[in-house]
PDB file of all heavy atoms in Angstrom:
ATOM      1  N   ALA A 348      10.385  14.331 -33.116  1.00  0.00           N
ATOM      2  CA  ALA A 348      11.003  13.736 -34.321  1.00  0.00           C
ATOM      3  C   ALA A 348      11.675  12.369 -33.961  1.00  0.00           C
ATOM      4  O   ALA A 348      11.538  11.417 -34.671  1.00  0.00           O
ATOM      5  CB  ALA A 348      11.973  14.716 -34.937  1.00  0.00           C
ATOM      6  N   LEU A 349      12.388  12.395 -32.871  1.00  0.00           N
ATOM      7  CA  LEU A 349      13.075  11.163 -32.472  1.00  0.00           C
ATOM      8  C   LEU A 349      12.050  10.056 -32.243  1.00  0.00           C
ATOM      9  O   LEU A 349      12.268   8.939 -32.674  1.00  0.00           O
ATOM     10  CB  LEU A 349      13.882  11.446 -31.185  1.00  0.00           C
ATOM     11  CG  LEU A 349      14.655  10.263 -30.637  1.00  0.00           C
ATOM     12  CD1 LEU A 349      15.663   9.669 -31.581  1.00  0.00           C
ATOM     13  CD2 LEU A 349      15.371  10.632 -29.325  1.00  0.00           C
ATOM     14  N   GLY A 350      10.994  10.334 -31.504  1.00  0.00           N
ATOM     15  CA  GLY A 350       9.912   9.377 -31.254  1.00  0.00           C
ATOM     16  C   GLY A 350       9.347   8.854 -32.527  1.00  0.00           C
ATOM     17  O   GLY A 350       9.225   7.595 -32.722  1.00  0.00           O
ATOM     18  N   ARG A 351       9.044   9.756 -33.494  1.00  0.00           N
ATOM     19  CA  ARG A 351       8.415   9.358 -34.731  1.00  0.00           C
ATOM     20  C   ARG A 351       9.366   8.451 -35.521  1.00  0.00           C
ATOM     21  O   ARG A 351       8.986   7.410 -36.021  1.00  0.00           O
ATOM     22  CB  ARG A 351       8.141  10.631 -35.591  1.00  0.00           C
ATOM     23  CG  ARG A 351       6.673  10.882 -35.876  1.00  0.00           C
ATOM     24  CD  ARG A 351       6.420  12.011 -36.792  1.00  0.00           C
ATOM     25  NE  ARG A 351       7.415  13.073 -36.834  1.00  0.00           N
ATOM     26  CZ  ARG A 351       7.344  14.219 -36.173  1.00  0.00           C
ATOM     27  NH1 ARG A 351       6.315  14.463 -35.324  1.00  0.00           N
ATOM     28  NH2 ARG A 351       8.252  15.123 -36.319  1.00  0.00           N
ATOM     29  N   GLU A 352      10.625   8.863 -35.612  1.00  0.00           N
ATOM     30  CA  GLU A 352      11.534   8.097 -36.418  1.00  0.00           C
ATOM     31  C   GLU A 352      11.851   6.693 -35.812  1.00  0.00           C
ATOM     32  O   GLU A 352      12.029   5.729 -36.548  1.00  0.00           O
ATOM     33  CB  GLU A 352      12.897   8.836 -36.595  1.00  0.00           C
ATOM     34  CG  GLU A 352      12.783  10.112 -37.395  1.00  0.00           C
ATOM     35  CD  GLU A 352      12.720   9.767 -38.897  1.00  0.00           C
ATOM     36  OE1 GLU A 352      13.115   8.760 -39.363  1.00  0.00           O
ATOM     37  OE2 GLU A 352      12.204  10.685 -39.635  1.00  0.00           O
ATOM     38  N   LEU A 353      11.868   6.675 -34.498  1.00  0.00           N
ATOM     39  CA  LEU A 353      12.144   5.365 -33.812  1.00  0.00           C
ATOM     40  C   LEU A 353      10.917   4.429 -34.135  1.00  0.00           C
ATOM     41  O   LEU A 353      11.135   3.196 -34.308  1.00  0.00           O
ATOM     42  CB  LEU A 353      12.328   5.540 -32.381  1.00  0.00           C
ATOM     43  CG  LEU A 353      13.663   6.110 -31.935  1.00  0.00           C
ATOM     44  CD1 LEU A 353      13.682   6.599 -30.500  1.00  0.00           C
ATOM     45  CD2 LEU A 353      14.817   5.090 -32.128  1.00  0.00           C
ATOM     46  N   ARG A 354       9.715   5.013 -34.081  1.00  0.00           N
ATOM     47  CA  ARG A 354       8.555   4.181 -34.386  1.00  0.00           C
ATOM     48  C   ARG A 354       8.673   3.648 -35.840  1.00  0.00           C
ATOM     49  O   ARG A 354       8.316   2.539 -36.140  1.00  0.00           O
ATOM     50  CB  ARG A 354       7.230   4.893 -34.083  1.00  0.00           C
ATOM     51  CG  ARG A 354       7.011   4.925 -32.585  1.00  0.00           C
ATOM     52  CD  ARG A 354       5.599   5.358 -32.215  1.00  0.00           C
ATOM     53  NE  ARG A 354       5.276   6.695 -32.589  1.00  0.00           N
ATOM     54  CZ  ARG A 354       5.607   7.790 -31.865  1.00  0.00           C
ATOM     55  NH1 ARG A 354       6.130   7.610 -30.671  1.00  0.00           N
ATOM     56  NH2 ARG A 354       5.306   8.978 -32.205  1.00  0.00           N
ATOM     57  N   ASN A 355       9.126   4.491 -36.737  1.00  0.00           N
ATOM     58  CA  ASN A 355       9.272   4.029 -38.157  1.00  0.00           C
ATOM     59  C   ASN A 355      10.301   2.913 -38.210  1.00  0.00           C
ATOM     60  O   ASN A 355      10.164   1.998 -39.066  1.00  0.00           O
ATOM     61  CB  ASN A 355       9.852   5.201 -39.010  1.00  0.00           C
ATOM     62  CG  ASN A 355       8.762   6.200 -39.339  1.00  0.00           C
ATOM     63  OD1 ASN A 355       7.567   5.899 -39.259  1.00  0.00           O
ATOM     64  ND2 ASN A 355       9.187   7.394 -39.742  1.00  0.00           N
ATOM     65  N   GLU A 356      11.220   2.904 -37.260  1.00  0.00           N
ATOM     66  CA  GLU A 356      12.278   1.822 -37.182  1.00  0.00           C
ATOM     67  C   GLU A 356      11.759   0.604 -36.388  1.00  0.00           C
ATOM     68  O   GLU A 356      12.484  -0.353 -36.170  1.00  0.00           O
ATOM     69  CB  GLU A 356      13.542   2.311 -36.525  1.00  0.00           C
ATOM     70  CG  GLU A 356      14.255   3.372 -37.338  1.00  0.00           C
ATOM     71  CD  GLU A 356      14.966   2.835 -38.623  1.00  0.00           C
ATOM     72  OE1 GLU A 356      15.559   1.706 -38.517  1.00  0.00           O
ATOM     73  OE2 GLU A 356      14.907   3.503 -39.617  1.00  0.00           O
ATOM     74  N   GLY A 357      10.536   0.679 -35.865  1.00  0.00           N
ATOM     75  CA  GLY A 357       9.947  -0.482 -35.200  1.00  0.00           C
ATOM     76  C   GLY A 357      10.197  -0.479 -33.697  1.00  0.00           C
ATOM     77  O   GLY A 357      10.145  -1.527 -33.054  1.00  0.00           O
ATOM     78  N   VAL A 358      10.581   0.694 -33.104  1.00  0.00           N
ATOM     79  CA  VAL A 358      10.732   0.781 -31.685  1.00  0.00           C
ATOM     80  C   VAL A 358       9.709   1.689 -31.077  1.00  0.00           C
ATOM     81  O   VAL A 358       9.577   2.864 -31.479  1.00  0.00           O
ATOM     82  CB  VAL A 358      12.153   1.326 -31.297  1.00  0.00           C
ATOM     83  CG1 VAL A 358      12.342   1.426 -29.847  1.00  0.00           C
ATOM     84  CG2 VAL A 358      13.221   0.451 -31.894  1.00  0.00           C
ATOM     85  N   TYR A 359       8.885   1.143 -30.183  1.00  0.00           N
ATOM     86  CA  TYR A 359       7.782   1.919 -29.677  1.00  0.00           C
ATOM     87  C   TYR A 359       8.209   2.673 -28.415  1.00  0.00           C
ATOM     88  O   TYR A 359       8.479   2.081 -27.347  1.00  0.00           O
ATOM     89  CB  TYR A 359       6.558   0.986 -29.370  1.00  0.00           C
ATOM     90  CG  TYR A 359       5.312   1.779 -29.129  1.00  0.00           C
ATOM     91  CD1 TYR A 359       4.701   2.369 -30.268  1.00  0.00           C
ATOM     92  CD2 TYR A 359       4.827   2.017 -27.848  1.00  0.00           C
ATOM     93  CE1 TYR A 359       3.533   3.144 -30.061  1.00  0.00           C
ATOM     94  CE2 TYR A 359       3.636   2.776 -27.708  1.00  0.00           C
ATOM     95  CZ  TYR A 359       3.021   3.320 -28.772  1.00  0.00           C
ATOM     96  OH  TYR A 359       1.927   4.131 -28.573  1.00  0.00           O
ATOM     97  N   VAL A 360       8.328   3.997 -28.554  1.00  0.00           N
ATOM     98  CA  VAL A 360       8.679   4.860 -27.429  1.00  0.00           C
ATOM     99  C   VAL A 360       7.787   6.058 -27.394  1.00  0.00           C
ATOM    100  O   VAL A 360       7.055   6.332 -28.358  1.00  0.00           O
ATOM    101  CB  VAL A 360      10.129   5.398 -27.537  1.00  0.00           C
ATOM    102  CG1 VAL A 360      11.186   4.394 -27.340  1.00  0.00           C
ATOM    103  CG2 VAL A 360      10.317   6.132 -28.857  1.00  0.00           C
ATOM    104  N   GLN A 361       7.750   6.702 -26.241  1.00  0.00           N
ATOM    105  CA  GLN A 361       6.899   7.887 -26.185  1.00  0.00           C
ATOM    106  C   GLN A 361       7.761   9.141 -25.915  1.00  0.00           C
ATOM    107  O   GLN A 361       8.763   9.086 -25.152  1.00  0.00           O
ATOM    108  CB  GLN A 361       5.889   7.733 -25.024  1.00  0.00           C
ATOM    109  CG  GLN A 361       4.658   8.577 -25.290  1.00  0.00           C
ATOM    110  CD  GLN A 361       3.608   8.370 -24.219  1.00  0.00           C
ATOM    111  OE1 GLN A 361       3.632   7.438 -23.462  1.00  0.00           O
ATOM    112  NE2 GLN A 361       2.650   9.216 -24.243  1.00  0.00           N
ATOM    113  N   ALA A 362       7.417  10.249 -26.627  1.00  0.00           N
ATOM    114  CA  ALA A 362       8.190  11.464 -26.395  1.00  0.00           C
ATOM    115  C   ALA A 362       7.432  12.382 -25.386  1.00  0.00           C
ATOM    116  O   ALA A 362       6.228  12.359 -25.367  1.00  0.00           O
ATOM    117  CB  ALA A 362       8.278  12.178 -27.736  1.00  0.00           C
ATOM    118  N   PHE A 363       8.169  13.110 -24.607  1.00  0.00           N
ATOM    119  CA  PHE A 363       7.595  14.007 -23.580  1.00  0.00           C
ATOM    120  C   PHE A 363       8.298  15.374 -23.757  1.00  0.00           C
ATOM    121  O   PHE A 363       9.486  15.446 -23.929  1.00  0.00           O
ATOM    122  CB  PHE A 363       7.795  13.481 -22.184  1.00  0.00           C
ATOM    123  CG  PHE A 363       7.107  12.200 -21.881  1.00  0.00           C
ATOM    124  CD1 PHE A 363       7.735  10.966 -21.999  1.00  0.00           C
ATOM    125  CD2 PHE A 363       5.773  12.232 -21.474  1.00  0.00           C
ATOM    126  CE1 PHE A 363       7.063   9.797 -21.766  1.00  0.00           C
ATOM    127  CE2 PHE A 363       5.033  11.033 -21.214  1.00  0.00           C
ATOM    128  CZ  PHE A 363       5.753   9.819 -21.332  1.00  0.00           C
ATOM    129  N   ALA A 364       7.477  16.389 -23.605  1.00  0.00           N
ATOM    130  CA  ALA A 364       7.994  17.796 -23.616  1.00  0.00           C
ATOM    131  C   ALA A 364       7.318  18.623 -22.525  1.00  0.00           C
ATOM    132  O   ALA A 364       6.470  18.114 -21.861  1.00  0.00           O
ATOM    133  CB  ALA A 364       7.752  18.362 -25.007  1.00  0.00           C
ATOM    134  N   PHE A 365       7.751  19.872 -22.399  1.00  0.00           N
ATOM    135  CA  PHE A 365       7.136  20.752 -21.469  1.00  0.00           C
ATOM    136  C   PHE A 365       5.612  20.838 -21.712  1.00  0.00           C
ATOM    137  O   PHE A 365       5.229  20.798 -22.894  1.00  0.00           O
ATOM    138  CB  PHE A 365       7.707  22.202 -21.659  1.00  0.00           C
ATOM    139  CG  PHE A 365       7.195  23.215 -20.749  1.00  0.00           C
ATOM    140  CD1 PHE A 365       7.648  23.269 -19.409  1.00  0.00           C
ATOM    141  CD2 PHE A 365       6.205  24.087 -21.139  1.00  0.00           C
ATOM    142  CE1 PHE A 365       7.174  24.236 -18.562  1.00  0.00           C
ATOM    143  CE2 PHE A 365       5.690  25.003 -20.302  1.00  0.00           C
ATOM    144  CZ  PHE A 365       6.189  25.089 -18.977  1.00  0.00           C
ATOM    145  N   PRO A 366       4.716  20.808 -20.728  1.00  0.00           N
ATOM    146  CA  PRO A 366       4.998  20.974 -19.320  1.00  0.00           C
ATOM    147  C   PRO A 366       5.191  19.682 -18.543  1.00  0.00           C
ATOM    148  O   PRO A 366       5.348  19.754 -17.333  1.00  0.00           O
ATOM    149  CB  PRO A 366       3.689  21.672 -18.829  1.00  0.00           C
ATOM    150  CG  PRO A 366       2.628  21.154 -19.715  1.00  0.00           C
ATOM    151  CD  PRO A 366       3.270  20.798 -21.024  1.00  0.00           C
ATOM    152  N   VAL A 367       5.186  18.506 -19.221  1.00  0.00           N
ATOM    153  CA  VAL A 367       5.392  17.278 -18.441  1.00  0.00           C
ATOM    154  C   VAL A 367       6.813  17.213 -17.867  1.00  0.00           C
ATOM    155  O   VAL A 367       7.054  16.695 -16.803  1.00  0.00           O
ATOM    156  CB  VAL A 367       5.072  16.017 -19.385  1.00  0.00           C
ATOM    157  CG1 VAL A 367       5.243  14.747 -18.589  1.00  0.00           C
ATOM    158  CG2 VAL A 367       3.690  16.208 -19.913  1.00  0.00           C
ATOM    159  N   VAL A 368       7.788  17.676 -18.679  1.00  0.00           N
ATOM    160  CA  VAL A 368       9.187  17.728 -18.231  1.00  0.00           C
ATOM    161  C   VAL A 368       9.670  19.204 -18.374  1.00  0.00           C
ATOM    162  O   VAL A 368       8.976  19.980 -19.116  1.00  0.00           O
ATOM    163  CB  VAL A 368      10.109  16.824 -19.014  1.00  0.00           C
ATOM    164  CG1 VAL A 368       9.742  15.360 -18.812  1.00  0.00           C
ATOM    165  CG2 VAL A 368      10.078  17.133 -20.554  1.00  0.00           C
ATOM    166  N   PRO A 369      10.749  19.640 -17.730  1.00  0.00           N
ATOM    167  CA  PRO A 369      11.172  21.041 -17.828  1.00  0.00           C
ATOM    168  C   PRO A 369      11.456  21.385 -19.288  1.00  0.00           C
ATOM    169  O   PRO A 369      11.814  20.605 -20.118  1.00  0.00           O
ATOM    170  CB  PRO A 369      12.396  21.077 -16.956  1.00  0.00           C
ATOM    171  CG  PRO A 369      12.332  19.900 -16.077  1.00  0.00           C
ATOM    172  CD  PRO A 369      11.593  18.882 -16.807  1.00  0.00           C
ATOM    173  N   LYS A 370      11.288  22.760 -19.507  1.00  0.00           N
ATOM    174  CA  LYS A 370      11.619  23.314 -20.825  1.00  0.00           C
ATOM    175  C   LYS A 370      13.076  22.956 -21.202  1.00  0.00           C
ATOM    176  O   LYS A 370      13.949  23.031 -20.295  1.00  0.00           O
ATOM    177  CB  LYS A 370      11.443  24.803 -20.837  1.00  0.00           C
ATOM    178  CG  LYS A 370      10.047  25.263 -21.142  1.00  0.00           C
ATOM    179  CD  LYS A 370       9.963  26.714 -21.547  1.00  0.00           C
ATOM    180  CE  LYS A 370       8.534  26.999 -22.011  1.00  0.00           C
ATOM    181  NZ  LYS A 370       7.901  28.082 -21.328  1.00  0.00           N
ATOM    182  N   GLY A 371      13.375  22.594 -22.455  1.00  0.00           N
ATOM    183  CA  GLY A 371      14.696  22.313 -22.846  1.00  0.00           C
ATOM    184  C   GLY A 371      15.173  20.960 -22.491  1.00  0.00           C
ATOM    185  O   GLY A 371      16.310  20.589 -22.768  1.00  0.00           O
TER     186      GLY A 371
END
Side-chain angles (χ1 to χ4, degrees):
L349 179 59
R351 243 187 334 264
E352 293 285 338
L353 285 166
R354 285 195 291 277
N355 284 341
E356 294 287 320
V358 178
Y359 194 73
V360 287
Q361 206 176 347
F363 295 95
F365 182 79
V367 181
V368 295
K370 273 199 172 124

